[in-house]
Amino acid sequence: EVQLVESGGGLVQPGGSLRLSCAASGFTISSYWMIWVRQAPGKGLEWVANINQDGSEKYYVDSVKGRFTISRDNAKNSLFLQMNSLRAEDTAVYYCAETTVAWGQGTLVTVSS
Amino acid sequence: DIVMTQTPLSSPVTLGQPASISCRSSQSLVHSDGNTYLSWLQQRPGQPPRLLIYKISNRFSGVPDRFSGSGAGTDFTLKISRVEAEDVGVYYCMQATQLGTFGQGTKLEIK
């Protein structure tokens, strides 16, 4: 079964950091671009970042540039999102996905004092 | 940046009747590799997004055949041939041809 499972979310204070992980099973991520998407409470979906197959190309939405870093470990079939200098507006459920193969169930990140 | 515009934003439908959602992109979604990375996702209340259609018209595994996608270039459509109660939710189009962008979402509800 094709599956993506996110982890690493939680409650963090403004200015803090979190590292999200996304473990894939049932397919090999090394063949695909991978993305992170987020959904703030009561809002629509927002693309956050994507990364190419070997990690040499990375792109980010303007609001997270310089604060978030997407990375991957193809040997571990995993995707990551390092989030630094977190703000209240980063509060959201974060999903990893490959847009033609699988979407994860999400992990909640809450930024609050 | 590519802007995705969905219409309508709300769609009250009678059970058993068809429904249609349109999605227009601000520029062509044809990728240099020849593919068009336009997907449709369904999000039921309280649930994560679920992939329905990818690359315009390919139904994802397990998706009922009452769902179909069509279009080309900048204009795309999701059709539900006969709406069932379990189809209630918000539907999003998404382009992954150039970075990523979502439509605003269309709320499907039963009349």
Side-chain angles (χ1 to χ4, degrees):
Chain A
E1 180 190 5
V2 170
Q3 199 172 11
L4 291 169
V5 179
E6 302 93 339
S7 60
L11 174 63
V12 62
Q13 292 187 340
S17 298
L18 278 178
R19 187 184 194 227
L20 306 184
S21 299
C22 171
S25 58
F27 76 108
T28 304
I29 71 165
S30 60
S31 301
Y32 300 97
W33 281 78
M34 298 294 294
I35 69 171
W36 285 98
V37 169
R38 66 184 178 183
Q39 186 171 35
K43 302 296 185 181
L45 297 168
E46 178 185 38
W47 166 77
V48 174
N50 60 4
I51 185 170
N52 73 337
Q53 289 87 340
D54 65 5
S56 60
E57 295 183 52
K58 304 175 184 182
Y59 302 95
Y60 304 90
V61 68
D62 285 348
S63 59
V64 309
K65 282 180 183 174
R67 301 188 298 122
F68 288 14
T69 302
I70 188 171
S71 63
R72 64 195 297 158
D73 185 336
N74 288 339
K76 294 183 177 179
N77 219 26
S78 294
L79 179 71
F80 306 98
L81 187 67
Q82 177 67 43
M83 304 186 297
N84 298 330
S85 303
L86 282 160
R87 305 167 180 167
E89 54 265 36
D90 296 319
T91 293
V93 177
Y94 285 73
Y95 301 98
C96 65
E98 197 293 325
T99 62
T100 65
V101 176
W103 281 73
Q105 296 294 299
T107 187
L108 175 62
V109 172
T110 303
V111 185
S112 175
S113 54
Chain B
D1 294 1
I2 297 178
V3 177
M4 305 296 287
T5 303
Q6 285 183 233
T7 54
L9 298 184
S10 178
S11 181
V13 182
T14 301
L15 286 173
Q17 293 300 302
S20 180
I21 301 170
S22 294
C23 179
R24 177 167 289 178
S25 58
S26 59
Q27 56 187 272
S28 174
L29 297 185
V30 180
H31 193 274
S32 57
D33 66 7
N35 290 305
T36 299
Y37 294 100
L38 186 284
S39 303
W40 290 96
L41 300 117
Q42 175 196 63
Q43 189 170 35
R44 292 168 172 154
Q47 296 294 313
R50 170 197 181 198
L51 179 61
L52 295 177
I53 304 284
Y54 63 96
K55 288 195 275 188
I56 303 178
S57 59
N58 295 275
R59 249 189 320 273
F60 190 63
S61 174
V63 174
D65 60 8
R66 65 178 183 275
F67 290 93
S68 64
S70 63
T74 61
D75 289 287
F76 306 93
T77 303
L78 175 71
K79 292 183 179 177
I80 308 173
S81 59
R82 295 172 306 279
V83 171
E84 298 188 4
E86 66 179 18
D87 299 336
V88 166
V90 179
Y91 291 77
Y92 296 93
C93 61
M94 179 201 174
Q95 69 83 16
T97 292
Q98 184 186 109
L99 304 183
T101 323
F102 291 89
Q104 317 96 302
T106 296
K107 187 173 185 178
L108 184 75
E109 51 195 8
I110 306 300
K111 277 184 187 174

